[in-house]
Amino acid sequence: NFRPKLKYVNRIDDVATLIERCSNIVVLTGAGISVSCGIPDFRSENGIYNMLGEYNLPDPQSMFELEFFKSNPIPFFQFAKHLLPGNYKPSATHNFLKLLDSKGKLLRNYTQNIDGLEREAKIDMCRVHQCHGSLDFARCLFCHNEVPLSSIRQHILEQRIPMCQKCKNPRGILKPNIVFFGESLGSKFGDLILNDRNKCDLVIVMGSSLKVAPVSEIIGWMPKNIPLVLFNREVVGQPHSFDVELLGDCDSIVSHLCHKMNWPLEGGKVDEIPPEFEAPSTYYFANCKRKEKLTNKFSSPFYDKETSIQIYERHFQMILNKANESCQRK
């Protein structure tokens, strides 16, 4: 069930050629593409999960657990204050996605980010699926009344817990429409995957640890003959194999590629030192984490090998069942 490397895609020139030729590119983005904007990621040395003292959390994931939020929403709103739209400008990587969109090459950007910088970069939001939600709206935990961000923005800025003015229930905290751990991503996610897997001609993973399911499983759901490329500081996604691994800051990687393709990139800056190549298909840019020797061990941050494979296969079977049902209806 795991994806092997394609033998004919090995070099950065192959990646540039694919980007120029392909017209239905699927891009999966994570927090790593927003680090240069000033937004910390989650799992790096300076990431949110290592900032427990600042947010006073019992464990790293509590900030995004619904039951913890109900009992103590303060840490989340401390964090949300820094992500309000208008606080940050898009990175060169966001602008690269805009280029793909404007050139008619972007089939879908599945983003794990909640910072809304895709909209700031003026990417067509019909091409963007915010897998983990956004701060655009908030919903009452008691009566489910929905309100726009504008109605609670001042509360967040002043660090006051926004409460529902419709039901006025003491349990009616207005929670931004962010997907917390254990919450469903909704049916649209699965519907888009079913549609896009039959159309895509290139898959790029950018700035993601690929450690949060089910978004992390997208690369396993795509056809195995479709080229798969990684732009990230370190290798991720095992046991799947990427065809080319471009390791380093995403901004440096997209700047290098745009220079090769003669694409003007806003905010782009090509590194003075060219990337170092390691056979058969890895390139090291600035600020990368060098590859360690790979083993046959399947490591997961939450589950052992057997459980991880069972979860992966269960999600994959769910997608296949839905596709079969759709075909039968037709």
Side-chain angles (χ1 to χ4, degrees):
N1 286 329
F2 299 121
R3 184 194 185 279
K5 181 187 175 332
L6 299 179
K7 294 181 179 179
Y8 68 90
V9 182
N10 298 293
R11 300 298 180 100
I12 197 167
D13 288 342
D14 297 333
V15 177
T17 299
L18 284 167
I19 292 172
E20 290 181 308
R21 290 180 179 175
C22 292
S23 57
N24 288 290
I25 302 174
V26 167
V27 185
L28 170 58
T29 52
I33 74 166
S34 297
V35 171
S36 64
C37 305
I39 302 172
D41 61 8
F42 289 87
R43 291 176 172 82
S44 70
E45 183 179 348
N46 298 314
I48 292 166
Y49 287 167
N50 285 325
M51 297 165 63
L52 298 183
E54 181 178 345
Y55 294 110
N56 194 27
L57 299 173
D59 67 73
Q61 295 180 22
S62 296
M63 185 185 294
F64 300 102
E65 289 176 349
L66 187 57
E67 291 307 313
F68 181 82
F69 177 85
K70 289 177 180 178
S71 64
N72 182 14
I74 293 174
F76 175 80
F77 284 110
Q78 288 176 332
F79 169 71
K81 177 181 178 180
H82 301 292
L83 287 183
L84 290 174
N87 286 345
Y88 301 97
K89 293 188 180 299
S91 67
T93 304
H94 292 101
N95 294 329
F96 173 75
L97 293 172
K98 170 60 180 174
L99 274 176
L100 293 181
D101 178 33
S102 63
K103 290 177 178 290
K105 295 178 174 293
L106 183 65
L107 173 62
R108 194 85 55 208
N109 172 205
Y110 292 91
T111 178
Q112 297 173 282
N113 300 336
I114 60 174
D115 52 42
L117 287 173
E118 299 82 17
R119 182 176 281 106
E120 292 286 329
K122 295 182 170 47
I123 300 169
D124 181 356
M125 293 306 288
C126 292
R127 298 288 178 187
V128 178
H129 183 63
Q130 296 169 301
C131 302
H132 295 159
S134 73
L135 294 169
D136 294 342
F137 291 89
R139 190 183 299 273
C140 173
L141 291 180
F142 185 76
C143 74
H144 308 297
N145 177 47
E146 191 172 75
V147 300
L149 171 64
S150 58
S151 67
I152 66 169
R153 185 183 182 98
Q154 198 60 34
H155 287 75
I156 297 175
L157 288 171
E158 296 174 359
Q159 290 297 281
R160 293 182 286 125
I161 305 304
M163 303 298 294
C164 181
Q165 297 304 302
K166 182 178 181 180
C167 70
K168 299 187 185 233
N169 189 282
R171 289 183 289 170
I173 302 171
L174 288 169
K175 170 188 169 288
N177 289 349
I178 305 301
V179 179
F180 280 13
F181 287 116
E183 290 188 297
S184 169
L185 269 61
S187 60
K188 186 177 180 181
F189 174 74
D191 292 340
L192 287 173
I193 292 292
L194 285 174
N195 177 75
D196 294 347
R197 73 187 302 272
N198 294 321
K199 292 182 178 180
C200 73
D201 46 19
L202 172 63
V203 179
I204 303 174
V205 175
M206 293 181 170
S208 175
S209 65
L210 292 182
K211 289 185 176 178
V212 179
V215 177
S216 59
E217 296 162 9
I218 288 176
I219 60 174
W221 292 334
M222 294 299 170
K224 292 180 173 59
N225 65 320
I226 300 301
L228 177 64
V229 182
L230 177 66
F231 300 6
N232 204 47
R233 284 189 175 178
E234 60 184 324
V235 176
V236 296
Q238 288 85 10
H240 299 293
S241 295
F242 287 89
D243 301 314
V244 181
E245 298 163 335
L246 307 180
L247 304 184
D249 291 334
C250 288
D251 288 353
S252 296
I253 295 167
V254 298
S255 296
H256 187 88
L257 283 167
C258 284
H259 180 71
K260 276 184 171 292
M261 298 184 293
N262 291 317
W263 288 9
L265 178 64
E266 183 179 351
K269 184 179 179 182
V270 179
D271 292 339
E272 294 182 3
I273 302 176
E276 176 187 340
F277 175 68
E278 179 182 287
S281 56
T282 300
Y283 289 81
Y284 294 111
F285 287 77
N287 298 321
C288 68
K289 183 176 179 181
R290 294 272 171 171
K291 288 174 64 173
E292 298 176 357
K293 289 185 178 180
L294 299 180
T295 67
N296 291 326
K297 183 179 179 181
F298 185 130
S299 62
S300 169
F302 305 118
Y303 308 108
D304 58 28
K305 174 181 178 180
E306 183 177 352
T307 307
S308 295
I309 293 175
Q310 288 174 354
I311 290 172
Y312 171 83
E313 291 179 340
R314 188 166 64 246
H315 278 291
F316 187 70
Q317 190 60 50
M318 178 184 70
I319 294 292
L320 291 179
N321 290 342
K322 194 167 184 178
N324 290 334
E325 290 173 6
S326 177
C327 290
Q328 289 172 3
R329 284 197 297 271
K330 294 178 180 178

